[in-house]
Amino acid sequence: MEEESMEEEGGGGCEAMMDDQNHNNWGAGGYGRHLLSPDAAPLGDRFLRGAVAGPAAGPELAAVPEANGVLRGCEAGGAAGKAGAGAIAAAININASTSKFLMNVITIEDYKSTYWPKLDSAIDQLLTQSPGDYIPISYEQIYSCVYKCVCQQHSEQMYSDLIKKITNHLERVSKELQASPPDLYIERFNVALGQYMGALQSIVPLFIYMNKFYIETKLNRDLKDDLIKLFTEHVAEKHIYNLMPLLLEAQSTPFQITPSTMANIVKGLYTLRPEWVQMAPALFSKFIPNILPPAVESELQEYAAQDQKLQRELMQNGFTR
């Protein structure tokens, strides 16, 4: 029943909104209408709309200019010059429709008490899920909440709440890592990194309308880049100087950690901050191509010696040729 009430509140909101505080033109023939049309929408939007039904838009009304406070072009039957009961009735109907829309506006109180709590709960579950977990949330409901809040001029508040929510989560993750013993530190960092990047694969698409009509157009940024930057600042930068010595030690002791864990962390660090390569070029070069300069003939013997050492270590750990 609550979701039905929300649908009634937001129905047709974007179509009726001419221009919001975020400079989103939702008017007839405007950019918003063009983007949201089934034929013009990008493939990703059409896919999401197939899975997540947005609010049904109401019937379109032709633009009716005002003259001395009275709506023109409302003559019954299209007869020009008739100022009879039909024109008055049409004007009343249009004004009643407009009043109904204004009564259904999502206020900031509605946003804080009804819409954001739903988004907050869903983000919590996405950030803390384990790979392969089933998340009992309605993607349709969350996508619809975001859509309506963007249409009703709450993009700025929603973006602020999202950044604050994820920042608080990452600060807790960082504190948990600080309390980890050295023998579990690498594995736990790998879990935190993988869990967060996996959550972004769901969070970013759910906020696609906020990204398009607020972050990209007004802030000239991208939501995914902003959220990756949060992990870099609140987790990776705080732990890189503890993590890197442990990675180098693990590299010198074969199979201390699994190759997949080492690869995930090294590639992840490179994605977060490519200049971290300079801290351990040899380590990064094992997983990132073209990190080191090209091989030269004078160093071939050294390369051969390193290869022989690796083969001996593999044989000592039970691997045969």
Side-chain angles (χ1 to χ4, degrees), residues 10 38 76 285 320:
S285 68
T320 59

Side-chain angles (χ1 to χ4, degrees), residues 174-247:
S174 182
K175 291 179 180 179
E176 292 172 0
L177 284 173
Q178 288 175 351
S180 298
D183 58 326
L184 298 177
Y185 194 92
I186 293 177
E187 287 290 349
R188 289 183 178 178
F189 184 91
N190 182 53
V191 169
L193 176 63
Q195 190 175 52
Y196 184 74
M197 292 302 181
L200 295 193
Q201 294 182 11
S202 295
I203 293 174
V204 172
L206 286 175
F207 285 86
I208 188 172
Y209 280 103
M210 182 183 72
N211 190 41
K212 287 186 176 180
F213 298 116
Y214 175 69
I215 302 175
E216 289 183 355
T217 59
K218 188 171 183 180
L219 305 182
N220 296 317
R221 296 204 303 267
D222 178 77
L223 178 60
K224 184 177 181 180
D225 293 341
D226 284 359
L227 298 185
I228 289 177
K229 184 179 179 181
L230 287 181
F231 188 91
T232 304
E233 293 177 347
H234 295 282
V235 179
E237 285 183 352
K238 295 180 179 179
H239 294 271
I240 187 66
Y241 295 104
N242 293 329
L243 179 64
M244 193 59 67
L246 294 175
L247 292 175

Side-chain angles (χ1 to χ4, degrees), residues 8-10 95-107 110 152:
E8 291 175 2
E9 282 187 41
N95 286 329
S97 176
T98 304
S99 298
K100 181 180 180 181
F101 167 74
L102 293 175
M103 291 174 63
N104 288 333
V105 166
I106 300 173
T107 65
D110 295 331
Q152 297 280 326

